[in-house]
């Protein structure tokens, strides 16, 4: 642990997101054990993931952004509000541009430009990859913020965020590999596509950490941007997907559990 604490924030972010990528791969590996996961289990895991992302957006991202902005020349709410809205707008635009297909939906429900020209496997991976961009970015900017020694943005808080993101990545890997296996793809290929969706997180984390370390005034905006992007993902996809099979109460309670777990992680470790 002492070795990790001495590393540059960019390296810290990279190593932390290797863990989150590994959790995606672990979820995808369930395809080696079964061809079909229990729907209630999947919906509860999605709800749990949504709760983790909502809690992380405030405790690990917006709260430090507000604290950092207190010493700025503009009202402290301005960077948080601007960054948060820009993060949601960014994900909205990406959703419209990049072809993707959310798990358990037919090909006719594919979104983005020229989606009908892509294979189902590619579209599924791209859908989860879109979700992982703000998650990797969030971890990266959190470690960048930790370098400023803010009381609410320490390395342990960034580690708590990485742990929370890793936990909620587990069902994302499963959400890609299982549908592909049901479609007749081999277990090995299904696993490969499932874990591939998590590869973007270390890349996004390194970019985020490097950007805020290089240009420190960007920090409150970057933290809030990552929060807005994650909340957009939760509202647009995670919560609706967790409830579309009718398990609304189960998914809602799982969301609350996820929120509580992430809050405890952030407060206890941060």
């Amino acid at each position: 642990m002492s070795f990790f604490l001495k590393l540059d924030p960019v390296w810290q972010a990279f190593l932390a997101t290797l863990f989150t990528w590994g959790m995606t791969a672990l979820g995808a590996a369930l395809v080696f054990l079964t061809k079909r996961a229990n729907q209630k289990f999947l919906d509860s895991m999605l709800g749990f993931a949504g709760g983790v992302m909502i809690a992380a957006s405030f405790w690990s991202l917006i709260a430090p952004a507000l604290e950092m902005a207190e010493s700025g020349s503009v009202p402290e709410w301005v960077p948080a509000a601007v960054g948060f809205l820009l993060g949601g707008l960014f994900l909205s635009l990406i959703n419209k541009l990049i072809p993707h297909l959310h798990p358990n939906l037919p090909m006719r429900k594919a979104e983005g430009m020229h989606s009908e020209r892509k294979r189902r496997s590619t579209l599924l991976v791209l859908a989860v990859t879109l979700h992982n961009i703000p998650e990797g970015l969030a971890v990266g900017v959190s470690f960048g913020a930790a370098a400023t020694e803010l009381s609410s943005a320490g390395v342990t808080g960034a580690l708590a965020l990485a742990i929370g993101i890793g936990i909620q990545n587990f069902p994302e890997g499963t959400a890609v590999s299982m549908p592909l296996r049901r479609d007749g793809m081999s277990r090995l290929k299904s696993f490969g596509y499932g874990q591939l969706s998590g590869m973007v997180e270390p890349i996004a984390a390194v970019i985020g950490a490097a950007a805020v370390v290089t240009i420190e005034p960007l920090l409150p905006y970057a933290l809030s941007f990552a929060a807005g992007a994650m909340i957009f993902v939760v509202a647009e996809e995670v919560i609706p997907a967790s409830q579309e099979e009718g398990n609304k109460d189960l998914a809602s309670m799982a969301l609350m559990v996820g929120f509580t777990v992430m809050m405890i992680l952030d407060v206890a470790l941060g």
Side-chain angles (χ1 to χ4, degrees), residues 10-26:
V10 175
W11 277 107
Q12 291 175 338
F14 176 72
L15 293 176
T17 45
L18 287 184
F19 163 74
T20 64
W21 180 10
M23 290 297 290
T24 304
L26 191 62

Side-chain angles (χ1 to χ4, degrees), residues 10 144 206-219:
V10 175
V206 167
I207 292 172
V212 298
V213 167
T214 304
I215 313 174
E216 190 171 307
L218 283 179
L219 254 176

Side-chain angles (χ1 to χ4, degrees), residues 120-139:
R120 177 177 171 84
S121 56
T122 302
L123 292 172
L124 285 170
V125 172
L126 286 174
V128 179
T129 299
L130 289 177
H131 298 179
N132 287 340
I133 291 174
E135 294 167 8
L137 183 63
V139 174

Side-chain angles (χ1 to χ4, degrees), residues 22-198:
M23 290 297 290
T24 304
L26 191 62
L30 286 183
V31 76
F32 291 112
L33 303 178
T34 180
K35 190 173 182 178
R36 183 182 297 273
N38 182 275
Q39 190 61 50
K40 289 185 177 181
F41 169 76
L42 290 177
D43 290 345
S44 62
M45 288 298 288
L46 280 173
F48 181 90
V52 168
M53 294 172 75
I54 293 171
S57 295
F58 176 75
W59 296 100
S60 299
L61 299 171
I62 293 179
L66 289 169
E67 181 178 337
M68 171 164 273
E70 288 178 356
S71 59
S73 58
V74 298
E76 63 187 53
W77 55 266
V78 171
V82 171
F84 186 80
L85 293 175
L86 285 177
L89 179 62
F90 172 76
L91 256 293
S92 177
L93 292 175
I94 291 294
N95 264 348
K96 290 179 172 60
L97 292 175
I98 296 182
H100 60 282
L101 175 67
H102 297 300
N104 300 320
L105 293 181
M107 281 294 291
R108 68 177 183 275
K109 296 286 189 178
E111 303 175 23
M113 297 178 63
H114 311 301
S115 57
E116 68 279 357
R117 302 178 188 175
K118 304 291 184 181
R119 297 175 59 185
R120 177 177 171 84
S121 56
T122 302
L123 292 172
L124 285 170
V125 172
L126 286 174
V128 179
T129 299
L130 289 177
H131 298 179
N132 287 340
I133 291 174
E135 294 167 8
L137 183 63
V139 174
V141 296
S142 292
F143 278 102
T148 68
E149 299 182 354
L150 282 174
S151 61
S152 62
V155 173
T156 51
L159 281 172
L161 175 61
I163 292 171
I165 294 295
I167 291 171
Q168 68 91 41
N169 273 1
F170 184 88
E172 290 186 349
T174 305
V176 176
S177 64
M178 288 296 183
L180 294 178
R181 179 58 182 156
R182 290 198 298 268
D183 289 346
M185 186 175 287
S186 71
R187 284 187 169 88
L188 188 58
K189 282 188 175 181
S190 299
F191 166 76
Y193 279 113
Q195 63 82 31
L196 186 64
S197 61

